[in-house]
């Protein structure tokens, strides 16, 4: 019996998306909020026309909550706007908000009735387009919700409850192969000496490769509470095994890691590992660019293989710091295309996000001039976990004539984004705009193909010049030739999976997005 990897969407009280290894594909059902099994497609509903749900203006039912919050909203400093309402009121808000702001509002199935869905989140889950991309994937694979407090903690502070390791599921069906992709500094995993490439052999006595007790595996791999402890048997890259207990903690993600300079025959090459476009990445990126600029680098490799995206303004800052003023002055980093209703009343100037030349104030004082490397070419290590705002960096640099070489696998394919919206303690994420570059290109729903296809290498540390993708990048910049395709069965399987867009990482969905912090008059 095959066991497939599923992602369970976060319910209103959940802090993040969960990982689930379920039997026979599992999942399904709007009420459960589950993602479709791998290989499934979204289909228009076939049931008879349901009782009509009148669409009302979302503003007329906003903050009418079945369980109103009290106290001060930390985002605004004012009292929460919540008033006493009902589940039906919250569902009406969801339907109205989708009709007003969703990019593909006209493609939302009409043969659906809110009464058939237990809560606003379940109702929201089905209010999206059933259309497919050219390759047959769901056009909207990105619809999700998150508890507002959890979203705030992760997006603003980079904090989430975890062990501090990012797991890569090289095989989610038996024989399963689950390995550590990287760890967060000072986290429980890092303090235990767990490194990239470590294989998870057993969890709480259940064999990971072939065990059928998926409930135990799920509970341990994605801890729900701080302090929750589980037993792991691990096999290190050197083949040695050990058993240890790990307790989940509030882990602060370090979005920029491993900044270094690599000596080459043609001059020093900079390297940085960029895992997230979080608010905290702003200060870290500025520091990294200053360090590399001081080292006199002649080329740069940005490792975004595990970067699912984040704040679009941070992506713009990065692209600006990589390139030159000559390339970006007066150019658009990304133009935002909304639905035909222009729901946010966006003026043309607001829809054009520039290449920022000064800091935005996310984690460094606002208005400081950004350093520039002035490069006309950059190499990005990428793969199916490279998504959204990370793809925006690639597309926008190419839009102003900066050559971007991609080494690795095909990216995830998400030229879309949204303005997250809270209502009654749940933050809703529905696609509201498509991003296009300075040349008007933004149609990459099936991802960007790599310049050189190189399978992810879990036998070497990230940033190690011998790691397959980094080694290929260093070789390609000097020779212009891609490495010979790998011949081992495992590497061939990984390359095939990456070419088909199968991600390795299962993470909170807020880390897989292009998020516009706010609509405001955009200044460089």
């Amino acid at each position: 019996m095959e066991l497939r990897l599923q992602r369970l969407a976060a319910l209103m009280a959940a802090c993040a998306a969960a990982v689930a290894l379920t039997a026979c594909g599992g999942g399904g059902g709007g009420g459960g909020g589950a993602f479709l099994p791998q290989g499934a497609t979204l289909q228009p509903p076939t049931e008879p026309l349901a009782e009509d749900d009148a669409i009302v203006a979302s503003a007329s039912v906003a903050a009418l909550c079945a369980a109103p919050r009290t106290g001060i909203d930390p985002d605004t400093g004012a009292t929460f706007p919540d008033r006493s309402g009902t589940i039906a009121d919250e569902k009406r808000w969801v339907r109205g908000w989708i009709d007003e702001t969703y990019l593909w509002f006209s493609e939302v199935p009409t043969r659906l009735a809110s009464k058939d869905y237990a809560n606003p989140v379940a109702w929201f889950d089905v209010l999206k387009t059933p259309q497919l991309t050219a390759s047959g994937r769901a056009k909207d694979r990105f619809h999700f919700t998150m508890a507002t407090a959890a979203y705030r903690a992760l997006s603003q502070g980079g904090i989430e409850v975890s062990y501090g390791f990012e797991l890569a599921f090289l095989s989610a069906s038996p024989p399963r192969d689950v390995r550590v992709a990287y760890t967060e500094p000072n986290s429980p995993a890092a303090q235990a000496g767990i490194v990239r490439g470590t294989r998870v052999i057993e969890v709480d006595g259940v064999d990971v490769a072939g065990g059928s007790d998926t409930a135990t595996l799920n509970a341990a791999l994605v801890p729900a509470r701080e302090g929750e402890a589980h037993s792991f048997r691990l096999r290190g890259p050197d083949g040695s095994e050990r058993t240890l207990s790990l307790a989940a903690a509030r882990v602060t993600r370090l979005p920029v890691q491993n900044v270094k300079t690599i000596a080459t025959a043609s001059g020093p090459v900079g390297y940085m590992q960029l895992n997230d476009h979080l608010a905290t990445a702003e200060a870290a990126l500025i520091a990294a660019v200053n360090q590399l600029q001081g080292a006199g680098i002649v080329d740069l490799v940005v490792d975004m293989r595990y970067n699912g995206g984040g704040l679009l303004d941070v992506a713009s800052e990065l692209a600006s710091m990589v390139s030159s003023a000559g390339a970006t002055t007066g150019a658009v980093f990304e133009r935002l295309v909304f639905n035909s209703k222009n729901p946010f009343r966006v003026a043309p100037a607001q829809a054009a996000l520039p290449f920022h030349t000064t800091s935005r104030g996310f984690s460094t004082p606002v208005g400081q001039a950004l350093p520039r490397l002035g490069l006309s070419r950059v190499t990005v290590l990428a793969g199916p976990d490279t998504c959204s705002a990370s793809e925006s960096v690639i597309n926008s640099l190419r839009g102003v004539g900066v050559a971007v070489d991609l080494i690795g696998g095909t990216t995830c394919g998400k030229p879309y984004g949204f303005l997250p919206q809270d209502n009654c303690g749940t933050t809703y994420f529905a696609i509201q705009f498509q991003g296009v570059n300075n040349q008007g290109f933004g149609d990459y729903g099936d991802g960007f193909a790599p310049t050189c296809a190189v399978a992810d290498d879990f036998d070497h540390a990230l940033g190690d010049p011998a790691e397959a993708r980094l080694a290929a990048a260093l070789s390609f910049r000097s020779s212009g030739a891609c490495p010979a395709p790998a011949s081992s069965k495992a590497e061939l399987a990984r390359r095939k999976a990456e070419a088909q867009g199968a991600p390795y990482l299962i993470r909170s969905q807020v880390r897989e997005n292009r998020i516009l912090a706010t609509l405001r008059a955009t200044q460089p």
Side-chain angles (χ1 to χ4, degrees), residues 25 32 68 80 94 104 113 117 124 185 205 238 349 374 380 393 396 414 427 449 457 463 466 486 510 517:
F80 279 112
V94 166
W104 305 296
Y117 301 89
F124 172 84
D238 62 357
V380 173
V393 173
S396 296
K414 187 180 180 185
T427 294
D457 175 8
V510 76

Side-chain angles (χ1 to χ4, degrees), residues 64-116:
L64 288 176
C65 310
R69 294 165 292 179
T70 59
I72 303 299
D73 183 344
D75 283 338
T76 65
T79 303
F80 279 112
D82 298 6
R83 296 166 289 156
S84 181
T86 65
I87 290 292
D89 289 326
E90 293 188 40
K91 289 181 181 178
R92 279 192 286 271
W93 177 87
V94 166
R95 188 65 187 92
W97 184 70
I98 287 290
D99 187 68
E100 293 159 3
T101 71
Y102 187 53
L103 183 62
W104 305 296
F105 70 94
S106 63
E107 298 176 12
V108 174
T110 57
R111 297 184 177 187
L112 298 171
S114 63
K115 64 181 177 59
D116 295 332

Side-chain angles (χ1 to χ4, degrees), residues 479-494:
S479 69
C482 296
S487 58
S488 75
K489 183 177 180 181
E491 289 180 77
L492 289 173
R494 285 203 292 273

Side-chain angles (χ1 to χ4, degrees), residues 246-307:
L246 288 175
R250 286 173 58 83
V251 173
T252 299
R253 293 194 166 275
L254 192 63
V256 181
Q257 300 183 26
N258 227 352
V259 181
K260 63 175 63 178
T261 302
I262 301 169
T264 73
S266 59
V269 174
Y271 170 90
M272 71 169 78
Q273 176 189 338
L274 176 58
N275 297 329
D276 293 282
H277 288 85
L278 297 171
T280 50
E282 181 184 53
L285 283 170
I286 292 171
V289 171
N290 277 325
Q291 176 185 328
L292 296 174
Q293 189 179 56
I297 65 166
V298 297
D299 208 342
L300 175 67
V301 177
V302 183
D303 194 338
M304 294 198 292
R305 75 183 77 190
Y306 301 133
N307 190 321

Side-chain angles (χ1 to χ4, degrees), residues 187-194 242 244-246:
S187 66
Q191 292 170 355
I194 298 171
R242 58 177 171 146
L244 72 163
S245 177
L246 288 175

